[in-house]
Amino acid sequence: MIVSRLSFLHYRNLREGEFLPDPRMNVIFGQNAQGKTNLLEALWLFTGGRSFRGSRDSELIAFGQDAARLQIDFFSEERDQSAVLTIQNKKRSAAINGVQYGGVMELVGKFRAVIFSPEHLSLVKDGPALRRSFLDGALCQLRPVYAKLLFQYNRVLQQRNALLKDIPRHAELLDTLEIWDEKLAQRGARLIMERSKYVCLLSEPARRVYEGISGAREQFSICYRTVSGEEPQTEEQWRQYLFDLLGRSRREDLSAGFTTVGPHRDDLEIRVDERQARSFGSQGQQRSCVLALKLAEAELLQTLSGEAPVILLDDVMSELDSGRQDFLLHQLGEKQVFLTCCDPETAARYSGGGRFEMEQGRLTVRQ
Ligand code: ATP
Ligand code: MG
């Protein structure tokens, strides 16, 4: 997957214009608050995902404007393609190769990218939410049906939670809870199956990358951990198990006012030398774990989709020691990379490809 052009209009602080990237390495440097991350975020939005900064859609539109428009030309599936993303009235819509869609779901799986930013460095040590969103994000791009499934699961979950809050005031609603338990168990079972299959697939490339970083001195492993610790095998067994579990947790859920069990509480367990990296890993080991997961995500996307994703590295190089930086760049091989950093000296280290300076939302080619 190669991006040959990105243009923007009224997007964040980026000046109206276009960016013609190099097919391999693109280094975007500039001082703080100039628009480097905004540029990477613009590319990322074409994956169909939300902003990796957690921003609302309306925040993407330049101050004082009422709509933003982004366009990319890219080469994928052996042909030139294009996509337009419009953000207006608090929602996004997309056109792909001239066909207009009401939302952005259709973009999922068409344009693929892997983002690695400083926030990911706390993937190992923070709570499980970040690790679940790592799994969900990776799976959405790999299997667009997963994006729909996740959306449905979350919608049912919200409805069940709303009901849990209403029941104390309207006792007659208690009878309807079981219908939501059934729906949640059915979608939850599929979600768990998809996630645990993905973790199985990710495990080997991640182990291999970690071995490379640690010089084979340490053992790395991952596994999908459900909140209950149970491990039924089939989707039907999971459905039944979750349904029973929701029934057993009913009293607790009613007093908490939300659903306390299910895949929205699960975790990706990461171990180094058999010990939980979250509790026992050193800072360096935790960083190596994140690097291994991110690189394995990119490798798996390439193996399973037959095409390398675009790599977005937002300001991570300064956070890694030179050994890990070299390892990362070496592993990325032939992929198209967009790398941001602050100072021109760091930028000069990555020779070859394109060098661009971002100043107040304006991008200039520098050689
Ligand atoms: P750093 O090196 O600190 O990470 P950066 O170059 O990555 O900086 P960005 O985060 O890309 O900086 O850009 C931040 C700038 O974009 C800020 O000055 C911010 O005010 C501006 N900005 C953010 N959202 C909008 C918007 N909707 N409209 C106009 N400007 C915006
Ligand atoms: Mg930034």
Side-chain angles (χ1 to χ4, degrees):
M1 194 151 299
I2 306 283
V3 179
S4 55
R5 180 174 174 272
L6 166 71
S7 68
F8 21 83
L9 175 67
H10 303 328
Y11 180 78
R12 296 257 199 204
N13 76 329
L14 301 187
R15 301 290 173 88
E16 178 179 355
E18 63 172 14
F19 171 34
L20 303 172
D22 182 86
R24 293 279 303 278
M25 172 58 99
N26 294 276
V27 178
I28 300 123
F29 66 96
Q31 295 180 352
N32 294 132
Q34 300 302 305
K36 304 180 298 294
T37 303
N38 292 345
L39 183 76
L40 260 51
E41 180 187 48
L43 285 165
W44 170 257
L45 290 174
F46 284 97
T47 62
R50 307 203 129 263
S51 157
F52 56 79
R53 304 166 140 186
S55 303
R56 284 193 219 113
D57 289 346
S58 57
E59 292 165 0
L60 306 172
I61 304 170
F63 302 145
Q65 300 294 333
D66 55 15
R69 186 177 187 275
L70 297 167
Q71 178 169 0
I72 53 167
D73 296 338
F74 62 107
F75 187 80
S76 170
E77 294 179 337
E78 293 170 15
R79 64 196 169 109
D80 289 318
Q81 305 203 42
S82 73
V84 178
L85 193 78
T86 310
I87 307 151
Q88 194 166 20
N89 297 332
K90 297 184 182 172
K91 79 185 274 278
R92 295 175 291 166
S93 61
I96 307 166
N97 301 323
V99 182
Q100 181 68 46
Y101 298 95
V104 290
M105 274 297 208
E106 279 76 11
L107 279 172
V108 179
K110 286 273 188 319
F111 178 77
R112 297 187 175 97
V114 169
I115 168 81
F116 189 7
S117 77
E119 289 98 86
H120 291 111
L121 291 168
S122 48
L123 188 73
V124 176
K125 69 169 186 279
D126 278 7
L130 214 58
R131 290 185 288 280
R132 282 193 302 271
S133 85
F134 163 71
L135 289 180
D136 289 340
L139 260 162
C140 283
Q141 292 202 61
L142 194 60
R143 287 177 51 72
V145 293
Y146 184 85
K148 293 201 179 81
L149 176 64
L150 185 65
F151 177 78
Q152 289 169 351
Y153 179 86
N154 284 328
R155 202 173 48 187
V156 173
L157 182 66
Q158 276 170 9
Q159 283 161 331
R160 187 179 189 272
N161 286 347
L163 189 60
L164 287 169
K165 288 196 183 75
D166 282 347
I167 288 173
R169 282 179 283 119
H170 303 279
E172 71 282 5
L173 291 174
L174 190 63
D175 293 343
T176 58
L177 198 56
E178 198 171 284
I179 302 168
W180 295 105
D181 289 4
E182 267 169 27
K183 289 185 187 198
L184 202 63
Q186 187 202 12
R187 288 162 179 86
R190 282 183 56 204
L191 211 62
I192 291 176
M193 291 298 285
E194 293 273 354
R195 283 184 186 164
S196 37
K197 263 189 241 164
Y198 180 74
V199 172
C200 269
L201 289 171
L202 192 71
S203 159
E204 180 48 31
R207 194 197 57 74
R208 221 180 317 115
V209 176
Y210 194 95
E211 197 176 277
I213 308 172
S214 73
R217 282 189 299 272
E218 295 160 3
Q219 278 253 320
F220 173 88
S221 65
I222 49 173
C223 77
Y224 187 70
R225 182 71 64 213
T226 58
V227 78
S228 57
E230 290 293 319
E231 289 179 12
Q233 296 299 308
T234 66
E235 187 176 320
E236 174 49 28
Q237 286 169 351
W238 267 117
R239 192 196 59 73
Q240 190 60 54
Y241 175 76
L242 285 174
F243 181 73
D244 294 344
L245 188 64
L246 287 164
R248 285 202 301 278
S249 317
R250 185 169 282 194
R251 186 179 299 210
E252 202 182 326
D253 287 3
L254 279 166
S255 71
F258 62 87
T259 307
T260 58
V261 290
H264 58 286
R265 308 293 296 269
D266 290 350
D267 200 355
L268 169 71
E269 201 172 83
I270 303 162
R271 287 175 179 266
V272 172
D273 286 340
E274 311 271 306
R275 287 202 180 86
Q276 285 230 32
R278 185 182 175 192
S279 319
F280 302 105
S282 72
Q283 227 181 71
Q285 284 174 324
Q286 291 182 346
R287 284 182 177 209
S288 299
C289 290
V290 181
L291 206 53
L293 290 171
K294 280 279 148 192
L295 283 167
E297 178 194 356
E299 190 182 317
L300 205 55
L301 259 181
Q302 177 164 7
T303 320
L304 299 179
S305 74
E307 208 166 13
V310 163
I311 307 291
L312 309 172
L313 302 176
D314 189 22
D315 221 3
V316 279
M317 290 320 225
S318 56
E319 304 279 341
L320 300 172
D321 59 33
S322 61
R324 286 192 183 90
Q325 284 183 31
D326 293 343
F327 185 85
L328 172 60
L329 291 176
H330 178 74
Q331 286 284 312
L332 291 174
E334 303 282 301
K335 297 178 184 68
Q336 189 180 30
V337 176
F338 294 85
L339 180 159
T340 68
C341 59
C342 279
D343 64 307
E345 282 95 79
T346 312
R349 283 194 52 205
Y350 311 108
S351 54
R355 275 160 38 82
F356 305 85
E357 185 168 3
M358 181 67 88
E359 281 173 300
Q360 297 185 6
R362 187 171 285 130
L363 206 56
T364 315
V365 182
R366 299 268 186 244
Q367 281 319 319

